[in-house]
Amino acid sequence: MKTLIVFGVFLIAALAAPLDDSKTAEIIKYDSENIGINGYQFEFETSDGTIRQEQAELRNAGTDTESIVVRGSYSYVGPDGTRYVITYVADENGFQPEGAHIPKI
Protein backbone atom coordinates (compact mmCIF):
# COMPACT_ATOMS: atom_id res chain seq x y z
CA MET A 1 0.00 0.00 0.00
CA LYS A 2 2.87 2.37 0.85
CA THR A 3 4.35 1.76 -2.61
CA LEU A 4 1.06 2.76 -4.22
CA ILE A 5 0.89 5.96 -2.16
CA VAL A 6 4.49 6.89 -3.00
CA PHE A 7 3.85 6.18 -6.68
CA GLY A 8 0.71 8.34 -6.53
CA VAL A 9 2.62 11.24 -4.94
CA PHE A 10 5.30 11.07 -7.66
CA LEU A 11 2.67 10.89 -10.38
CA ILE A 12 0.84 13.93 -9.03
CA ALA A 13 4.13 15.86 -8.73
CA ALA A 14 5.07 14.98 -12.31
CA LEU A 15 1.69 16.05 -13.65
CA ALA A 16 1.77 19.30 -11.68
CA ALA A 17 5.27 20.27 -12.89
CA PRO A 18 5.31 23.29 -15.20
CA LEU A 19 5.90 22.67 -18.89
CA ASP A 20 9.32 23.53 -20.27
CA ASP A 21 8.58 26.63 -22.39
CA SER A 22 11.46 25.80 -24.74
CA LYS A 23 9.51 22.69 -25.79
CA THR A 24 6.20 24.48 -26.22
CA ALA A 25 5.70 26.38 -29.46
CA GLU A 26 2.72 28.41 -30.59
CA ILE A 27 1.54 28.84 -34.16
CA ILE A 28 2.12 32.47 -35.12
CA LYS A 29 1.22 32.19 -38.82
CA TYR A 30 -0.94 29.72 -40.74
CA ASP A 31 -2.34 29.88 -44.26
CA SER A 32 -3.98 27.02 -46.13
CA GLU A 33 -5.78 26.59 -49.42
CA ASN A 34 -7.37 23.35 -50.55
CA ILE A 35 -7.75 23.51 -54.31
CA GLY A 36 -9.90 20.37 -54.37
CA ILE A 37 -8.79 17.50 -56.57
CA ASN A 38 -6.15 19.66 -58.26
CA GLY A 39 -3.95 20.11 -55.20
CA TYR A 40 -3.35 22.17 -52.09
CA GLN A 41 -0.95 24.59 -50.50
CA PHE A 42 -0.17 25.63 -46.94
CA GLU A 43 2.40 27.38 -44.81
CA PHE A 44 2.95 27.92 -41.12
CA GLU A 45 5.42 29.40 -38.69
CA THR A 46 5.78 28.70 -34.98
CA SER A 47 7.19 30.75 -32.13
CA ASP A 48 10.24 28.49 -31.85
CA GLY A 49 11.37 29.46 -35.35
CA THR A 50 10.03 26.47 -37.27
CA ILE A 51 8.77 27.38 -40.75
CA ARG A 52 7.12 25.06 -43.28
CA GLN A 53 5.48 25.55 -46.65
CA GLU A 54 4.17 23.01 -49.13
CA GLN A 55 2.17 22.86 -52.33
CA ALA A 56 0.89 19.97 -54.41
CA GLU A 57 -0.47 19.59 -57.89
CA LEU A 58 -2.16 16.78 -59.75
CA ARG A 59 -0.33 15.63 -62.87
CA ASN A 60 -1.75 13.61 -65.77
CA ALA A 61 -5.29 13.66 -64.37
CA GLY A 62 -7.49 10.83 -65.59
CA THR A 63 -4.65 8.80 -67.08
CA ASP A 64 -2.84 5.65 -65.98
CA THR A 65 0.08 7.84 -64.90
CA GLU A 66 -1.98 10.19 -62.72
CA SER A 67 0.06 11.33 -59.72
CA ILE A 68 0.40 14.12 -57.25
CA VAL A 69 3.63 16.11 -57.03
CA VAL A 70 4.46 17.75 -53.72
CA ARG A 71 7.08 20.50 -53.34
CA GLY A 72 7.99 22.28 -50.17
CA SER A 73 10.49 23.27 -47.56
CA TYR A 74 10.87 23.45 -43.84
CA SER A 75 13.40 24.98 -41.51
CA TYR A 76 14.10 24.87 -37.82
CA VAL A 77 16.71 25.95 -35.31
CA GLY A 78 18.68 22.95 -34.06
CA PRO A 79 19.97 22.42 -30.53
CA ASP A 80 23.30 23.87 -31.68
CA GLY A 81 21.61 27.18 -32.65
CA THR A 82 22.02 26.55 -36.40
CA ARG A 83 19.07 27.10 -38.72
CA TYR A 84 18.57 23.98 -40.84
CA VAL A 85 16.71 24.33 -44.14
CA ILE A 86 15.38 21.39 -46.12
CA THR A 87 13.70 21.66 -49.51
CA TYR A 88 12.01 18.65 -51.06
CA VAL A 89 10.07 17.19 -53.93
CA ALA A 90 7.93 14.09 -53.62
CA ASP A 91 6.80 12.62 -56.91
CA GLU A 92 6.95 9.41 -58.95
CA ASN A 93 10.66 9.28 -58.06
CA GLY A 94 10.02 9.26 -54.30
CA PHE A 95 10.89 11.75 -51.58
CA GLN A 96 13.90 13.87 -52.58
CA PRO A 97 15.17 16.16 -49.81
CA GLU A 98 18.01 18.67 -50.22
CA GLY A 99 19.81 20.74 -47.63
CA ALA A 100 23.31 22.04 -46.95
CA HIS A 101 23.67 19.52 -44.10
CA ILE A 102 22.38 16.51 -46.10
CA PRO A 103 25.13 14.51 -47.82
CA LYS A 104 24.96 14.31 -51.62
CA ILE A 105 24.82 10.81 -53.06
Side-chain angles (χ1 to χ4, degrees):
M1 182 67 172
K2 287 183 184 180
T3 304
L4 185 59
I5 292 172
V6 170
F7 175 75
V9 168
F10 281 115
L11 179 62
I12 291 170
L15 293 174
L19 293 175
D20 181 358
D21 286 339
S22 68
K23 294 181 182 178
T24 305
E26 294 180 10
I27 296 173
I28 57 175
K29 177 183 178 183
Y30 178 79
D31 290 313
S32 176
E33 183 179 344
N34 185 341
I35 309 167
I37 62 170
N38 293 324
Y40 64 86
Q41 63 184 28
F42 70 85
E43 64 181 313
F44 68 82
E45 183 174 349
T46 61
S47 59
D48 65 357
T50 299
I51 301 170
R52 181 166 176 206
Q53 65 85 24
E54 183 175 292
Q55 54 274 331
E57 66 176 287
L58 183 63
R59 283 196 184 158
N60 304 318
T63 69
D64 290 341
T65 60
E66 179 176 286
S67 63
I68 191 161
V69 177
V70 178
R71 298 181 187 281
S73 66
Y74 61 94
S75 66
Y76 62 94
V77 178
D80 60 356
T82 302
R83 175 163 291 279
Y84 293 93
V85 179
I86 295 90
T87 59
Y88 59 88
V89 174
D91 59 14
E92 64 276 359
N93 298 313
F95 181 68
Q96 306 152 59
E98 292 184 1
H101 64 289
I102 299 174
K104 304 278 188 227
I105 299 176

